């Protein structure tokens, strides 16, 4: 079985933001996201792979047998948009997304151009909902 490419590293999140993120607004937003996600999860930010900043971790195992570890929540300040890695498999996902503000969404990602476009209180609720959901899952 193939090894996961996105694993926790010992790289500095601050160094990553200061060297990888060129846009000053996006850089400021990245540091603000660290504060928000740290406040909600109570975990220190860690680099996952070369470009994802994650908080906490959980173990997953699919029916196919593929398994690994992933951050509870995370983000990557990419050039086109900030990718928020939050997956809320609950009935109120659509309701939370409708209140979030200007964004695009896929199954496990939310894409925002800048934090000013979204409601940070809704983002905090979204993060908290996912963290709570994961913590309630039975251990594999």
């Amino acid at each position: 079985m193939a090894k996961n490419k996105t694993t926790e590293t010992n790289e500095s999140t601050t160094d990553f933001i200061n060297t990888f993120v060129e846009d000053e607004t996006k850089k400021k937003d990245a540091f603000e996201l660290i504060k928000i996600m740290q406040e909600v999860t109570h975990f220190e930010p860690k680099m996952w792979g070369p470009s994802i900043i994650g908080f906490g971790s959980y173990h997953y195992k699919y029916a196919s047998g593929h398994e690994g570890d992933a951050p509870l929540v995370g983000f990557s300040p990419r050039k086109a948009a900030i990718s928020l890695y939050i997956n809320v498999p609950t009935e109120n996902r659509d309701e939370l997304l409708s209140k979030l503000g200007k964004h695009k969404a896929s199954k496990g990602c939310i894409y925002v151009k800048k934090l000013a476009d979204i409601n940070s209180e809704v983002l905090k609720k979204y993060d908290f909902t996912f963290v709570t959901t994961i913590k309630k899952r039975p251990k594999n």
Side-chain angles (χ1 to χ4, degrees):
M1 186 137 328
K3 187 176 189 294
N4 289 344
K5 293 178 186 174
T6 306
T7 57
E8 188 176 324
T9 73
N10 291 320
E11 300 301 316
S12 164
T13 56
T14 301
D15 289 350
F16 164 72
I17 292 168
N18 285 328
T19 55
F20 182 77
V21 182
E22 296 174 5
D23 180 80
E24 288 303 315
T25 299
K26 198 165 282 179
K27 191 178 287 193
K28 183 175 148 252
D29 287 352
F31 286 115
E32 184 61 26
L33 276 169
I34 286 176
K35 287 180 191 173
I36 290 169
M37 292 184 171
Q38 198 169 14
E39 174 187 331
V40 172
T41 66
H42 303 285
F43 287 106
E44 292 295 319
K46 301 282 185 179
M47 289 302 302
W48 285 75
S51 61
I52 295 173
I53 298 171
F55 299 80
S57 67
Y58 70 100
H59 189 77
Y60 62 87
K61 185 173 184 178
Y62 298 130
S64 66
H66 177 78
E67 63 182 300
D69 296 305
L72 288 170
V73 296
F75 72 94
S76 184
R78 303 194 188 280
K79 191 168 261 190
I82 298 170
S83 301
L84 302 171
Y85 300 104
I86 309 164
N87 181 12
V88 179
T90 64
E91 64 282 346
N92 63 348
R93 179 181 192 269
D94 291 337
E95 179 187 344
L96 286 172
L97 284 176
S98 72
K99 295 176 181 175
L100 184 60
K102 188 176 175 181
H103 72 280
K104 291 183 181 179
S106 64
K107 185 178 179 181
C109 259
I110 300 170
Y111 306 97
V112 299
K113 295 284 185 186
K114 56 186 183 282
L115 279 185
D117 289 343
I118 63 171
N119 182 328
S120 62
E121 291 306 311
V122 174
L123 177 61
K124 288 177 187 178
K125 184 164 179 57
Y126 209 92
D127 284 349
F128 180 77
T129 301
F130 183 63
V131 171
T132 303
T133 300
I134 290 295
K135 286 182 177 180
K136 288 180 181 176
R137 284 185 184 170
K139 302 285 186 227
N140 289 338

